[in-house]
Amino acid sequence: MNRELIVRSSSDAVDFALLKDGKLIELHKEEDNNSFSVGDIFLAKIRKPVTGLNAAFVNVGYEKDAFLHYHDLGPQLASMLKFIKQARTGKLKDFSLKDFPFEKDIDKNGSINEVIKANQSLLVQIVKEPISTKGPRISSELSIAGRYLVMVPFSDRVSVSQKIESNEEKSRLKRLVKSIKPKGFGVIIRTVAEGKKVAELDKDLQNLQTKWTAMCKTLYKAEHPSKVLVELNRASSILRDIFNDSFTGIHVDDETLHDNIKDYVHEIAPQKESIVKLYSGSAPIFEKFGIERQIKTSFGKTATMSKGAYLVIEHTEALHVIDVNSGNRSNKAKNQEDTALEVNMLAAAEIARQLRLRDMGGIIVVDFIDMTRGDHRRKLFDFLRDEMKDDRAKHKILPPSKFGLVQITRQRVRPEMNIKTSEENPNGSGKEVEAPIVLLDKINFELERILKGPNKNKSIVLNIHPFIAAYLTKGVPSIRQKWFLEYKKWVKIQPRDAYTYLEYRFKDKQGKVVR
């Protein structure tokens, strides 16, 4: 399995595309004006506690107050409040917490107005970026993420990622971390720490302590609100969270960004530094790696799959709905049940990809093709769970209901990636149509269905607009020549002046439409 990260820089944003064996599975955008990224820590001021919500609204500098629920305060809130007060007045000089006297934990079922009050200073962390009309969601239970470890101030707990399956490895990592963990800090051991030695873990922990100390030094006489710790830029945070030995290339089209990423890779994986390459080709980097085309075909209302099957993705205020359709695909399966299973398995893989690609969150309901056999439903459920294992967002999948619906909940911490793929109708009607670049995929699907179906021995003539006809026959090898090499059949292309740009029909020698 090959993984590549393609980074495109422009004047106001940086786009990151993650490819798995050449297929686009994640797309991120970092904009210069995003001042409230997940992981950023602010020194903020409580605006007002609201007893009815058991929460408080907090001024973090956004146009709408951030929302802080009682359960996101953290058990050691009292210790943090005392720490902030001493750090801001200059009484506290040692930020290591080893000699800091901790207060009693707050009641986990208590009331917000019992523990905080208006105008109080508080350190808070963005856990959900502003989405639509809502302000940021924040927590005062801070965590500072590193490559292998996450450090949690005002805690002593050591926990291990559930994705590490070996109990022996979990015990080893816990034992190592407990031996190097500073007093007053909890540690979460990340999945990528599996198999790592104590020296690598200790170096990561030292870096996190340095970050904590530097942040604490800024608290003295700091303004309200102010950002006191900035999360890594998106490129570094993506690499921190997903980089592993399967990465075969990181391609960047900006020299400064290339140098920054190369330095970061040198820090976290020196042996992989050579895979960071500066792209200097004449074609735009996203076109060179086929990303632009994949974006056009993946972000519309309809997402196509192989053999003519497709998904229809609808969004409502409350949830997302995905409908699985077999389309007009050719079928080699013996019966309808086997066809349904085959299409559903294709759809499950594509749905797992679409959720990551669009960063869809909340409730997702999937209407798979009905299957009567229980073992097929179980196979589909297990396959979908396995496909979503690499998804970094927290999610939960319920088994298919008796109506064949699968319900998924997926955490959303950033606005959903929404890209407009429809374009103005080239025929000048004023309406919008799906991107013309999708046309070739449609032609390929239909041609494959015809040449592998009952009409495979017929002579095929493609009637199409002259501009598209020229595109299909130009170059060596042309698209038509590639069809011949693949299907061992020559397709005659007949330009039709009366056709609109996106209109086409497959016909036989007698001029009858072949379906």
Side-chain angles (χ1 to χ4, degrees), residues 345-398:
M345 297 286 268
L346 277 172
E350 181 62 19
I351 287 164
R353 170 178 170 258
Q354 285 286 340
L355 296 184
R356 290 177 68 182
L357 192 55
R358 301 181 188 220
D359 203 8
M360 291 163 63
I363 300 171
I364 301 109
V365 179
V366 185
D367 183 11
F368 283 102
I369 297 172
D370 289 346
M371 296 185 296
T372 56
R373 288 177 52 178
D375 60 324
H376 281 184
R377 290 196 295 271
R378 168 54 61 179
K379 186 176 181 181
L380 173 65
F381 177 59
D382 291 342
F383 180 74
L384 180 58
R385 283 198 306 181
D386 192 55
E387 285 292 304
M388 290 190 67
K389 269 185 180 176
D390 289 338
D391 195 334
R392 290 175 289 144
K394 291 179 183 177
H395 60 271
K396 186 175 180 65
I397 309 170
L398 297 182

Side-chain angles (χ1 to χ4, degrees), residues 333-350:
K334 293 179 182 177
N335 55 53
Q336 186 178 349
E337 183 73 13
D338 289 343
T339 303
L341 177 62
E342 185 183 351
V343 174
N344 283 340
M345 297 286 268
L346 277 172
E350 181 62 19

Side-chain angles (χ1 to χ4, degrees), residues 116-132:
I116 59 174
K117 57 183 182 289
N119 295 319
Q120 223 168 1
S121 293
L122 189 62
L123 281 172
V124 295
Q125 188 165 32
I126 306 290
V127 295
K128 191 172 184 179
E129 292 178 11
I131 297 174
S132 186

Side-chain angles (χ1 to χ4, degrees), residues 234-264:
R234 190 63 60 88
S236 298
S237 65
I238 289 171
L239 289 171
R240 180 192 66 195
D241 293 343
I242 65 175
F243 188 85
N244 56 37
D245 291 338
S246 69
F247 265 74
T248 55
I250 300 172
H251 303 270
V252 192
D253 67 353
D254 179 81
E255 191 169 354
T256 304
L257 200 54
H258 164 267
D259 294 342
N260 291 342
I261 291 174
K262 193 162 188 173
D263 289 343
Y264 186 74

